[in-house]
Amino acid sequence: MDIGDLAAEMYPREQHIPETSVLTLAQWVPDAPVDLARIELAWRPESPSPQVSGKADESASARPLMANGHRYDRYSRALRDLARPKLLDNRVSYRLLDVEWSGNRGALGFNYTSYFDVLDVGEALGHEFAHAWLNAGRKRPSLADLPFRRSISDPFDLLTRPMLPSINTLTIRRDPIEGHRMYLHRRDAKSVAAAGGMYHVAPAGVFQPAALAPVHQSNDFSLWRNVQREFSEEFLGNAEHDGNSVDPIAYDEDEPFASFERARKSGDFRVSACAMVLEPLTLWVELLTVAVVEAPTFDALFAQMVAVNEEGEAISTQAGRPTVGIPFTSDARERLRSEPLSPISRACIALAWQHRHLLLGR
């Protein structure tokens, strides 16, 4: 059993996505997938100060000792000094403050946070659990052994701690003749701060602007544009938009974004949200989405799909051919049960399968 599955056992079964260990609430899951264009993003001018932060006394056991005998005051600083992954930048990010689904529409409220403020809490929670798990002889520890996790009485309270959603997209190449295909990649533990070594849906990335300047923050305050950037990076191997650019992205003119937008407007590239959830080990908030791309459009957009990117390598049934991916079938889902599939990916695939007739029908 995965350590994340053990962490999930500490929460009521009714808070689990069926067949998975991922946590959610009924009001965080729409009745059916919601197109990203039907999700309204609202800016909340007031953002309450989080009551729980990575500097809390309860997180001390998750923060290593420095050479002078004092503990690091933030998990991110310890990660930077002791085991820095290749991709680790403290970027301004969008803090999730509220979630609402109604029929075929959604509404999400945001203000600002930073990547490290969120990582300091989530990764410390994961480190604390792993340490207690080892001390318990590789068995599920008691909540009494997890003071930092215990301090978060309601993990779904969006105001208690900084919550930055990661947008996780299961991509499906829709081909009713030859068979639908889905795409995963194995995340490189040396490059990424989360889910290293696991199979994960692709693309995936936290919700943040491409750079610090105000023009970027207004230009990039879009779920669809965030997903586009991740497709550019993870599928096509383009350089990450790492916050250093001066000019904002011209999504209607710059490639590959202009082509993505044309495909979306034609109805051949559809992205829908299936649920807002919590990853059980870190309690990181995640938006689960599914992208359905018509086969001819997929082949045109991703003809130069890379087998390896900065975050990991593509998983395919044919070596060296990342565009082949994995069959989106019940047999493939069953085989993936024995693979190191991240809990979030398991939930994303489960929801896509549940809604497959709606997502893949035309």
Side-chain angles (χ1 to χ4, degrees):
M1 179 178 288
D2 181 81
I3 190 172
D5 297 335
L6 290 177
E9 290 182 353
M10 311 194 83
Y11 304 94
R13 289 298 306 174
E14 58 267 23
Q15 293 181 349
H16 293 199
I17 294 282
E19 302 182 23
T20 80
S21 61
V22 169
L23 309 175
T24 195
L25 295 175
Q27 58 266 38
W28 278 18
V29 183
D31 295 333
V34 177
D35 190 286
L36 293 193
R38 292 181 173 271
I39 301 176
E40 178 185 357
L41 304 189
W43 190 255
R44 307 300 186 206
E46 298 296 328
S47 181
S49 297
Q51 301 169 20
V52 176
S53 76
K55 293 185 177 182
D57 292 341
E58 292 87 350
S59 71
S61 64
R63 291 182 271 114
L65 292 172
M66 297 185 290
N68 62 10
H70 297 297
R71 289 196 179 275
Y72 280 94
D73 65 342
R74 301 181 63 162
Y75 188 91
S76 55
R77 291 183 179 176
L79 186 63
R80 178 198 63 190
D81 291 351
L82 305 177
R84 183 183 185 119
K86 181 179 179 181
L87 302 175
L88 184 69
D89 293 303
N90 192 21
R91 303 256 300 276
V92 63
S93 303
Y94 299 117
R95 179 187 178 188
L96 181 65
L97 295 174
D98 49 79
V99 177
E100 182 180 353
W101 303 107
S102 179
N104 64 353
R105 295 189 174 275
L108 307 176
F110 293 93
N111 197 283
Y112 286 128
T113 186
S114 75
Y115 180 67
F116 279 8
D117 280 350
V118 181
L119 181 142
D120 286 339
V121 175
E123 293 305 309
L125 285 168
H127 185 98
E128 177 191 61
F129 191 93
H131 186 259
W133 170 73
L134 289 172
N135 288 341
R138 297 178 181 270
K139 297 180 181 178
R140 179 167 61 84
S142 164
L143 195 58
D145 300 319
L146 304 168
F148 194 35
R149 186 173 296 264
R150 195 170 64 247
S151 72
I152 301 175
S153 56
D154 180 3
F156 299 98
D157 185 345
L158 294 171
L159 304 184
T160 298
R161 58 196 170 95
M163 304 275 264
L164 162 61
S166 177
I167 306 173
N168 302 271
T169 303
L170 174 67
T171 303
I172 300 176
R173 177 184 180 274
R174 182 182 181 274
D175 187 343
I177 298 175
E178 299 294 333
H180 311 307
R181 313 291 292 191
M182 61 180 171
Y183 298 86
L184 305 174
H185 73 167
R186 187 197 302 269
R187 289 171 65 82
D188 184 352
K190 295 180 180 179
S191 297
V192 297
M198 306 189 83
Y199 288 6
H200 200 66
V201 295
V206 297
F207 187 32
Q208 58 189 192
L212 292 174
V215 65
H216 285 279
Q217 292 162 37
S218 58
N219 191 48
D220 296 334
F221 188 49
S222 160
L223 299 176
W224 165 236
R225 288 182 172 181
N226 206 94
V227 170
Q228 286 186 76
R229 296 200 306 271
E230 296 299 333
F231 268 113
S232 174
E233 295 164 11
E234 296 184 21
F235 273 53
L236 299 177
N238 292 325
E240 182 176 2
H241 297 280
D242 57 6
N244 293 318
S245 174
V246 174
D247 298 322
I249 299 170
Y251 290 94
D252 294 332
E253 300 174 5
D254 295 347
E255 291 294 349
F257 309 112
S259 293
F260 291 165
E261 186 62 30
R262 285 194 297 272
R264 188 193 191 202
K265 288 180 178 178
S266 72
D268 291 339
F269 193 151
R270 306 179 295 280
V271 185
S272 304
C274 293
M276 191 73 76
V277 303
L278 297 179
E279 196 280 329
L281 184 62
T282 63
L283 298 183
W284 197 293
V285 69
E286 318 256 358
L287 180 63
L288 306 188
T289 70
V290 178
V292 176
V293 188
E294 297 299 312
T297 299
F298 184 99
D299 295 343
L301 292 176
F302 302 116
Q304 303 302 316
M305 184 175 176
V306 296
V308 179
N309 60 43
E310 287 194 333
E311 297 186 11
E313 60 180 323
I315 304 300
S316 173
T317 56
Q318 294 186 30
R321 295 188 62 193
T323 54
V324 171
I326 302 170
F328 184 62
T329 62
S330 57
D331 287 344
R333 287 184 66 222
E334 188 62 32
R335 287 195 295 272
L336 283 171
R337 292 182 185 276
S338 62
E339 300 293 346
L341 191 62
S342 71
I344 290 299
S345 298
R346 207 172 294 279
C348 215
I349 293 171
L351 289 170
W353 188 257
Q354 176 187 338
H355 298 292
R356 65 190 182 280
H357 298 301
L358 181 61
L359 290 166
L360 297 171
R362 293 202 74 176

